[in-house]
Amino acid sequence: MALSDLNPVERNEEGIAAVLGILKQQLGERFQTGQAIRSQHAHTTTYIPTQAPDGVAFPETTAEVQEIVRACAAHRVPVIAFGVGSSLEGHTNAPGGGISVDTSRMNRILAVNPQDLDCTVEPGVTREDLNRHLRDTGLFFPIDPGANASLGGMAATRASGTNAVRYGTMRENVLSLTAVMADGETVTTGKRAKKSSAGYDLTRLLVGSEGTLGIITALTLRLQGIPQAISGGVCPFPSVEAACNAVIATIQMGIPVARIELVNALQMRAMKNYSKLDYPESPCLFVEFHGSDAGVAEQAETFGMIAEENGGGPFLWTSVAEERTKLWKARHDAYWSSLTLRPGAKGLSTDVCVPISRFAECVLETEADIAEMGLIAPIVGHAGDGNFHVLVLMDVNDPKEIALSEKFVARLNMRAIAMDGTCTGEHGIGQGKIGFLRHELGHGVDIMRTIKQALDPLDIMNPGKILPGN
């Protein structure tokens, strides 16, 4: 079954035609219907088939988002929020057509409160934009998915990244949101206080909702102080199992590691070639520590001993910013380096997350599956969280390869769920993982559907995503 058939959405041709006319009149040149721009606002990141919207709106204010949503609600037309399009599970596709709401022009940093360690931004601000703006304040925003994603999109998909083991995910770092709901009304989910017991936690409801409940138009975010000292490095291991065991020991000993990333041997080969790294072509851990000069030195020394006890090393670390930047640039470019392993192929990028005690077992069984199926599929992982990614390289024009890749992903998802983990640690459900949500959450899916129906009775907010059709 094609992914686009998992949760079909019926087109409303008459309503779409009416909304196209209304938005063209309201927004002028900030509403586009050309084929190229519509295709760019559908899913283009991995192999999931592109399903383009019928028009793309570029609002500049919350009030304009409200006008768009009200027009769509009046004519029962889908509304799909769009950040930079870096999501991986078909989140921005329009299976029933409709309007893509591109928030890139809502890119203002509204307030920075250094004494309170928070800021308020519009959804189109990217994580790199924010950190450049914060540079002179001594603060930074720590969540760093591989792409330079928009902060609205990061909140919508509950993104995380390499720093999550120390600083958490978007769930922990969004203090409050403003969102336009399916009826065109706005809701602000909280204040700037660091904690609250006031009513239902609407912030957490919208964080991770993937645009199926509302469109985020402002976010208040938790900030962190830039550490006095940062050190990091690479440590090779004789096997993936040895590397995973070192991760488990590091976490269980309570070492406050900021980043600890697993790279298997195949991924290391790709990174050496693409990013010109001079490290062994073997499983490696990329590690970083934040704190004082004495603290990071002590943490690095302790980690080096743990690595040695697990057959790894030498652990080569540095506090030189340029060297660390090169290292983490290579890690963030892992997707692009992987594509060099099979020129012309496209990648099916997937992720799972398991309890840290099951991490080694899950990775090893996954590598065995890859070998058994004859796939080319490097692995990287946010190892400190028990979260890892596999990029399956395949010929998207070969139905047999697509079927084999989907079979592999299905086995991986079910393996993680069986280990009391999740079918996605940070990519989200979108279209690609709809079939696994009930296996993971059971009756919880019915509760989600009840919430969706209550808040979006016309099913216009990013329909066909997250919730299975049965």
Side-chain angles (χ1 to χ4, degrees):
M1 178 184 293
L3 284 170
S4 56
D5 294 332
L6 285 174
N7 218 357
V9 178
E10 185 176 348
R11 283 183 62 86
N12 175 6
E13 299 290 358
E14 183 178 341
I16 290 170
V19 169
L20 292 179
I22 292 169
L23 296 183
K24 187 63 178 177
Q25 185 175 20
Q26 288 180 344
L27 298 172
E29 292 302 310
R30 290 189 289 116
F31 183 68
Q32 298 289 323
T33 56
Q35 181 62 50
I37 197 165
R38 290 192 294 117
S39 295
Q40 291 167 6
H41 284 75
H43 186 85
T44 58
T45 313
T46 64
Y47 87 109
I48 296 176
T50 294
Q51 297 168 310
D54 294 283
V56 181
F58 294 87
E60 295 179 349
T61 65
T62 295
E64 287 186 339
V65 176
Q66 289 182 282
E67 291 176 0
I68 294 165
V69 172
R70 284 169 179 159
C72 289
H75 295 276
R76 300 193 72 150
V77 170
V79 187
I80 303 99
F82 186 93
V84 299
S86 58
S87 57
L88 294 166
E89 294 292 350
H91 298 87
T92 60
N93 263 344
I99 305 303
S100 175
V101 179
D102 185 318
T103 60
S104 60
R105 298 193 184 195
M106 300 179 69
N107 61 357
R108 291 173 287 268
I109 296 172
L110 302 175
V112 176
N113 306 295
Q115 291 180 318
D116 295 319
L117 298 178
D118 68 46
C119 68
T120 301
V121 302
E122 291 185 325
V125 176
T126 68
R127 64 177 183 86
E128 291 181 6
D129 289 339
L130 178 59
N131 279 324
R132 275 191 292 269
H133 184 86
L134 294 171
R135 190 173 296 152
D136 294 336
T137 67
L139 304 174
F140 79 113
F141 182 68
I143 310 305
D144 67 332
N148 183 25
S150 68
L151 291 161
M154 288 168 60
T157 55
R158 203 183 296 125
S160 53
T162 62
N163 279 319
V165 64
R166 174 158 182 159
Y167 297 105
T169 72
M170 288 299 284
R171 180 182 63 189
E172 291 79 35
N173 286 279
V174 178
L175 293 173
S176 70
L177 296 168
T178 298
V180 175
M181 307 304 284
D183 59 359
E185 296 298 317
T186 61
V187 60
T188 298
T189 62
K191 302 296 185 180
R192 291 197 298 117
K194 290 297 186 286
K195 63 181 182 179
S196 171
S197 295
Y200 296 148
D201 192 342
L202 298 181
T203 303
R204 302 297 172 271
L205 178 62
L206 288 171
V207 171
S209 62
E210 301 181 14
T212 62
L213 301 178
I215 297 178
I216 296 168
T217 60
L219 313 89
T220 296
L221 304 170
R222 190 187 306 271
L223 302 177
Q224 301 288 335
I226 296 174
Q228 175 193 2
I230 300 175
S231 71
V234 175
C235 187
F237 286 84
S239 67
V240 166
E241 183 176 17
C244 292
N245 287 336
V247 172
I248 293 169
T250 300
I251 299 301
Q252 290 178 342
M253 282 188 65
I255 298 173
V257 62
R259 297 172 171 177
I260 184 162
E261 299 283 299
L262 171 70
V263 176
N264 78 343
L266 182 60
Q267 181 67 70
M268 201 65 199
R269 181 197 306 170
M271 293 170 71
K272 279 169 61 70
N273 293 336
Y274 184 85
S275 299
K276 311 305 179 188
L277 296 182
D278 186 22
Y279 294 105
E281 195 172 297
S282 66
C284 290
L285 293 178
F286 289 30
V287 189
E288 187 169 277
F289 305 98
H290 295 177
S292 65
D293 290 323
V296 298
E298 181 182 0
Q299 292 163 29
E301 182 180 350
T302 303
F303 172 77
M305 291 189 291
I306 292 172
E308 186 177 358
E309 289 171 1
N310 284 277
F315 176 43
L316 306 174
W317 64 279
T318 179
S319 57
V320 177
E322 292 78 11
E323 294 179 18
R324 289 188 294 101
T325 298
K326 180 181 179 181
L327 174 66
W328 292 107
K329 178 70 164 58
R331 169 61 187 87
H332 282 309
D333 285 345
Y335 175 87
W336 304 109
S337 67
S338 296
L339 296 180
T340 66
L341 295 170
R342 188 179 177 186
K346 284 197 173 182
L348 189 168
S349 182
T350 191
D351 83 311
V352 296
C353 188
V354 296
I356 190 70
S357 62
R358 307 295 298 273
F359 184 66
E361 179 185 1
C362 194
V363 173
L364 288 171
E365 289 187 17
T366 301
E367 283 203 322
D369 248 7
I370 292 169
E372 180 185 332
M373 294 184 176
L375 299 172
I376 300 175
I379 293 176
V380 297
H382 308 313
D385 300 320
N387 180 203
F388 67 94
H389 304 255
V390 186
L391 187 71
V392 184
L393 300 172
M394 63 180 179
D395 180 354
V396 296
N397 297 312
D398 185 339
K400 291 183 179 179
E401 284 201 24
I402 292 175
L404 183 64
S405 299
E406 290 182 342
K407 179 181 178 182
F408 164 77
V409 171
R411 288 174 60 162
L412 173 59
N413 290 337
M414 295 305 291
R415 177 180 305 118
I417 292 169
M419 292 182 177
D420 211 15
T422 174
C423 66
T424 176
E426 59 185 14
H427 287 183
I429 296 295
Q431 291 175 306
K433 298 210 173 188
I434 282 179
F436 303 97
L437 193 60
R438 188 171 290 278
H439 289 288
E440 182 171 326
L441 297 177
H443 180 55
V445 173
D446 302 316
I447 304 300
M448 291 182 187
R449 183 176 285 109
T450 299
I451 294 170
K452 167 74 167 170
Q453 290 171 344
L455 297 180
D456 181 19
L458 300 179
D459 194 23
I460 64 168
M461 305 303 289
N462 208 10
K465 315 296 167 59
I466 299 184
L467 299 173
N470 52 40

